[in-house]
Amino acid sequence: MANLVPPHVKETSIEVMEQYAKELLSKGLLQSEDLYRYILETSVYPREPEPLKELRHVTAGHPRARFATSPDAGQLVAMLLKLVNAKKTIEVGVFIGYSLLLTALTILEDGKIIAIDVNRETFEIGLPIIKKAGVADKIDFIESEALPALDQLLQNPENEGSFDFAFVDADTGNYWNYNERIMKLLKVGGVVVYDNTLCQRFILVLY
């Protein structure tokens, strides 16, 4: 079996991290474990900031770790954030906060993130690491279902067309509803990224 664990992980956590990496592999399009290992070891792990490494290790021990954003997908998100010079962003679906921390580390120093999730408890697992990274002040966490929270944002006319970037990693059955609202919140030239639009190598068709 190919070893998907980066060299800095302690021996006591290797089994957990190995299982976590295999779960992330099962979510994507790649069918080769060796290829995924190569991508992680040569491109992803060497560029992953220390706070994200720490948060990934914490996430790996959670029973629902497979719901986390994979580190390779995170690098794509970071690249897109930099391309649009993002300052004001929305995140729908936070979980323990890997993509949220990545966004906070990547956006401009005076940037802000509206983060929406129904479960504050999982967010608070990663919150100490977010605070240690010095970016907690960029985050406005809203504990709520996403649709009413987005509708609330739209009630303020100043929010329309004001966001540079949105990342959605939530219940795929509502992606169409989220998209209708997020399109009104994004500025012209803004970017929205939807996770899990390709799932188990099948395209999710939303009606």
Side-chain angles (χ1 to χ4, degrees):
M1 179 177 64
N3 180 18
L4 303 182
V5 182
H8 60 266
V9 177
K10 295 179 181 177
E11 269 191 4
T12 53
S13 64
I14 284 181
E15 184 177 345
V16 171
M17 292 299 292
E18 186 72 43
Q19 180 59 35
Y20 175 51
K22 288 177 73 67
E23 287 177 353
L24 293 179
L25 173 62
S26 70
K27 291 172 58 177
L29 296 176
L30 290 178
Q31 300 185 49
S32 167
E33 192 172 297
D34 288 335
L35 176 57
Y36 192 51
R37 175 191 175 213
Y38 175 80
I39 292 170
L40 292 176
E41 291 182 351
T42 61
S43 180
V44 178
Y45 292 145
R47 299 174 182 171
E48 188 179 37
E50 285 303 320
L52 287 174
K53 285 182 172 70
E54 186 177 355
L55 189 55
R56 176 163 53 82
H57 297 162
V58 169
T59 302
H62 194 278
R64 294 186 291 130
R66 67 186 181 280
F67 293 126
T69 302
S70 63
D72 47 312
Q75 285 198 359
L76 173 61
V77 170
M79 181 186 71
L80 294 171
L81 286 163
K82 291 174 182 176
L83 283 173
V84 298
N85 202 29
K87 179 178 179 180
K88 188 177 180 183
T89 74
I90 305 173
E91 181 154 337
V92 177
V94 172
F95 191 41
I96 294 175
Y98 186 91
S99 57
L100 180 61
L101 175 56
L102 179 142
T103 300
L105 290 169
T106 306
I107 62 175
L108 299 176
E109 285 297 320
D110 58 344
K112 294 293 180 184
I113 308 164
I114 301 292
I116 305 167
D117 200 289
V118 294
N119 190 343
R120 186 177 182 89
E121 289 184 4
T122 50
F123 165 65
E124 289 185 344
I125 295 172
L127 186 55
I129 299 172
I130 293 171
K131 288 181 176 178
K132 187 167 70 171
V135 292
D137 61 332
K138 294 183 179 182
I139 299 166
D140 179 9
F141 182 85
I142 300 173
E143 186 177 15
S144 170
E145 296 282 349
L147 290 177
L150 293 171
D151 287 337
Q152 184 68 31
L153 288 173
L154 285 167
Q155 286 183 16
N156 182 351
E158 292 183 0
N159 285 327
E160 290 195 31
S162 69
F163 288 84
D164 303 297
F165 188 90
F167 179 69
V168 182
D169 186 5
D171 53 317
T172 53
N174 262 319
Y175 273 16
W176 182 261
N177 294 320
Y178 298 152
N179 190 68
E180 287 184 324
R181 290 156 174 81
I182 288 171
M183 287 298 104
K184 296 175 183 176
L185 292 165
L186 280 180
K187 62 175 58 174
V188 174
V191 172
V192 57
V193 174
Y194 289 91
D195 199 9
N196 298 324
T197 50
L198 291 172
C199 186
Q200 301 293 334
R201 305 180 185 92
F202 292 94
I203 298 175
L204 295 179
V205 181
L206 308 179
Y207 296 96

